[in-house]
Amino acid sequence: MKRKIRYLIWGCSLAITALAAIQSYFIYNTYILKEKEAQTAVRLELIRMETLINIDSVRNAWFVHGNALLRTQGITTAKSFFSSGAPALSRKVAQYINTNSVLHQYRTVYQVVINKVLLESPSGQTFTLTDRPWFGSGQLYGEQLVIHDLTTDNNINGGLVRNFTSRSGFAINGGGNSILREMLGLLIFSVLLLGVVILLFYLSIRSLITQKKISDMQTDFINNITHEFNTPLATLGVALSTVKDRLTGQPDPVLDNSVATIDRQQQRLRKLIGQVISHTAGPQQLRLQRELIHMPGFIAELLEDFKLSSPQTELIAELDSQIAAIKADRFHLTTAIVNILDNAVKYGGGQVIVTTVAETDTYQIAIRDNGQGITESDQSRIFEKFYRSEKGDIHNTKGLGLGLYYSEQVITAHGGKILLQSGTGQGSTFTLILPR
C-alpha cells in the first residue's frame, strides 16, 4: 500500500508538472500572438502617419535641395546638410506618436535612416554617407522592424546626388509590459487553476493516507483485541468446565443458573469475536469451499430456519420453481443472506418478501422489506466496513456495522454483486445477483 501511495504521489507530481508545462506553452503562444498583433497594429498606424506626413514628397524635396546645395555651395555644405537630419520632421513625428493611443501605448519608436547616398561635386570630389539617421522619434534599439525600403537614383540632367536609399522602421519598447497587462487576467486564472489542482491533489493524497492509517489501526485493533480476548476466554472455559464437574450431583438452582448464564455469555462472546474476524475479511481473503447448491431447496430451508428465529415477522417467499444450481460456499452464502434478513427486521421491517429468479447466466435473490428505508446519503456508504446509519450521532439499533459489508464481500467473492433500492419510509430491496 505504501508503494502504491508513493507511485500515486509521483504520478500526481508528474501530472502537475505536465499541466504547468502545457499552461506555460499556451501562455507563451498567446504572448507571441499578441505581440504579433501589436506589431501589426503599430505598423498600420505608422503607415497612416507616413501618408499624412507624405514621406515621398519629403524625400523628393530633400533630394532636390541637397543636389542644389552640392551644385551651388560645394560638397562640404552638402555633407553637413545630409548629416544633420531633419529636426522639424522629428518633432512632428514625436508629437504624432504621443497623441496616437496605439503608438503611445506600446512606446513606439519610429526612425528613417539614410542607408546610402553618394555625393559628387563638379570638381570631382566624392563623399558617401551610410547608415545615417534622417528623422524620427528616437534611436532604435533591440529588434527593428522595417516598414519601407525606398531607393531614388538620379543620373539625369547632371545630377550630383546619386543612389539615395532610405529605410523606415520602428521598434516597440513597451510592448512586453503592455501585453502582459492585457494578459493579466489569463495569468491570474492560470495560476489559480494550477493552485486548485495542486490543492486537490494534496487533499486527495492526504485523505488516502489518513484512510490507510485508519484502516491499519482498525486491522491492528481487531487482531490485537481478538487475540487478547481469546486468551481469557479459553481460561474462562477451562474454569467453567471445572466448576461444572464440581457441581455434578450437588443441585443448587441459584449456582446452576449463574453458571449457565456465564456459559451462555461466554459462548456469545466467542461468537461475536468469530464474527468480527470473519466479517472483516475482504473478498480476496475469504476462502470459499464451493459446492453445487440446488438453490430452490437451499433458499426454502434457509427461510424456514429464519422463521423460527423471527416468528413475529411476516415472511413471504416467492420462489422460482425452476430447477437451478450454482457453485457456492454454503456457509458464507447462508450468513450473507441471513445478515440482510436480520437487518430488515432490525430496522422496522414487519413484512419481508423474498423473491428468486433463475436467469440463463445468473440467479437473483431479492429481499424486500417494509421498514424505515435507507436515506440517499447513507446508500452510498451502507456497504462500508463499520459504517452504521445513525440519527444525530445516536444509533437506534445494536450492531457492529459489519453485516452488510460482509454480505457484499461474500457476493463479490462469488463473482456477483448486490443492488440496493431504497428511500426514506419506503422500505428497502436488496438484490443479490450470483453467476451460474
Side-chain angles (χ1 to χ4, degrees):
M1 185 65 178
K2 290 183 178 179
R3 182 177 296 179
K4 289 182 179 179
I5 293 177
R6 191 179 299 113
Y7 287 157
L8 179 62
I9 293 174
W10 277 106
C12 291
S13 301
L14 290 175
I16 291 172
T17 303
L19 179 61
I22 291 172
Q23 278 190 319
S24 301
Y25 173 76
F26 282 117
I27 289 174
Y28 173 76
N29 282 346
T30 302
Y31 178 86
I32 296 298
L33 180 62
K34 284 188 172 292
E35 186 178 43
K36 291 181 178 178
E37 290 176 352
Q39 292 173 356
T40 301
V42 168
R43 186 186 300 274
L44 291 174
E45 292 297 326
L46 290 177
I47 291 174
R48 186 178 293 112
M49 181 192 70
E50 289 181 343
T51 302
L52 293 174
I53 294 176
N54 200 355
I55 192 171
D56 290 334
S57 299
V58 171
R59 280 174 43 78
N60 292 336
W62 189 270
F63 186 87
V64 171
H65 186 61
N67 194 70
L69 287 176
L70 182 60
R71 187 180 297 278
T72 58
Q73 299 185 27
I75 194 169
T76 302
T77 304
K79 284 169 55 179
S80 176
F81 172 75
F82 280 100
S83 301
S84 61
L89 275 174
S90 296
R91 288 191 295 270
K92 189 174 182 180
V93 169
Q95 182 180 5
Y96 184 91
I97 289 175
N98 288 331
T99 56
N100 185 282
S101 58
V102 175
L103 300 178
H104 182 70
Q105 174 187 353
Y106 294 110
R107 292 168 54 196
T108 306
V109 175
Y110 173 83
Q111 188 181 70
V112 179
V113 176
I114 299 174
N115 285 344
K116 183 179 179 182
V117 62
L118 174 64
L119 309 179
E120 183 178 357
S121 68
S123 61
Q125 291 179 299
T126 61
F127 173 74
T128 302
L129 189 66
T130 58
D131 293 328
R132 174 70 65 174
W134 184 9
F135 66 90
S137 61
Q139 186 66 36
L140 293 178
Y141 298 101
E143 183 183 6
Q144 300 180 15
L145 304 173
V146 177
I147 301 176
H148 294 298
D149 277 315
L150 302 173
T151 301
T152 301
D153 191 1
N154 183 21
N155 295 313
I156 302 173
N157 298 326
L160 301 177
V161 180
R162 300 183 180 87
N163 302 327
F164 182 21
T165 62
S166 63
R167 179 187 69 250
S168 62
F170 70 96
I172 301 177
N173 291 341
N177 294 333
S178 298
I179 294 171
L180 289 176
R181 281 195 296 270
E182 291 178 9
M183 296 176 58
L184 185 61
L186 176 62
L187 292 173
I188 293 175
F189 176 76
S190 299
V191 172
L192 288 177
L193 180 61
L194 186 61
V196 169
V197 172
I198 293 173
L199 179 62
L200 290 177
F201 274 132
Y202 167 75
L203 293 176
S204 299
I205 292 173
R206 190 179 70 171
S207 176
L208 180 62
I209 293 174
T210 302
Q211 289 179 0
K212 181 186 178 301
K213 288 181 179 178
I214 294 174
S215 178
D216 290 343
M217 289 172 61
Q218 289 176 345
T219 303
D220 292 341
F221 172 77
I222 292 169
N223 293 336
N224 291 333
I225 203 70
T226 51
H227 174 74
E228 295 299 329
F229 279 2
N230 279 324
T231 301
L233 279 174
T235 305
L236 183 59
V238 174
L240 274 173
S241 298
T242 303
V243 172
K244 286 180 180 180
D245 291 341
R246 293 292 181 91
L247 290 176
T248 303
Q250 301 179 15
D252 187 338
V254 176
L255 192 57
D256 288 345
N257 184 56
S258 298
V259 170
T261 301
I262 294 173
D263 191 26
R264 285 197 306 272
Q265 296 304 316
Q266 178 211 200
Q267 295 297 329
R268 183 171 181 272
L269 189 55
R270 284 182 181 276
K271 184 179 179 182
L272 286 173
I273 293 173
Q275 188 181 29
V276 169
I277 295 173
S278 62
H279 282 29
T280 52
Q284 297 83 7
Q285 298 169 303
L286 287 173
R287 296 181 179 178
L288 301 180
Q289 302 294 327
R290 293 178 183 265
E291 59 182 284
L292 193 63
I293 300 175
H294 295 278
M295 295 305 292
F298 169 75
I299 297 295
E301 181 181 335
L302 185 151
L303 294 181
E304 285 297 325
D305 293 341
F306 183 75
K307 282 181 183 179
L308 295 176
S309 62
S310 302
Q312 75 283 0
T313 303
E314 181 185 0
L315 186 61
I316 301 174
E318 299 175 351
L319 306 183
D320 194 328
S321 60
Q322 180 179 345
I323 298 176
I326 65 172
K327 279 192 172 183
D329 187 299
R330 182 181 294 271
F331 171 77
H332 284 300
L333 185 58
T334 300
T335 309
I337 297 174
V338 169
N339 281 342
I340 297 176
L341 291 171
D342 284 339
N343 269 5
V345 176
K346 274 185 186 179
Y347 292 94
Q351 182 188 74
V352 179
I353 302 174
V354 179
T355 305
T356 61
V357 178
E359 300 284 352
T360 304
D361 300 323
T362 62
Y363 191 85
Q364 301 180 14
I365 307 168
I367 302 173
R368 184 168 73 252
D369 64 69
N370 61 347
Q372 65 190 39
I374 303 171
T375 62
E376 187 174 350
S377 59
D378 286 333
Q379 289 182 33
S380 60
R381 301 189 60 191
I382 202 69
F383 294 107
E384 291 182 11
K385 188 189 297 186
F386 299 113
Y387 181 79
R388 298 187 61 209
S389 179
E390 59 186 43
K391 293 182 179 180
D393 296 331
I394 298 175
H395 297 290
N396 297 322
T397 56
K398 296 180 180 180
L400 300 173
L402 290 170
L404 289 179
Y405 168 79
Y406 169 77
S407 296
E408 186 191 39
Q409 301 310 304
V410 169
I411 301 303
T412 302
H414 282 83
K417 59 183 177 179
I418 298 182
L419 304 179
L420 169 62
Q421 290 180 331
S422 185
T424 305
Q426 301 175 7
S428 304
T429 300
F430 289 87
T431 303
L432 285 63
I433 302 176
L434 293 165
R436 293 183 62 181

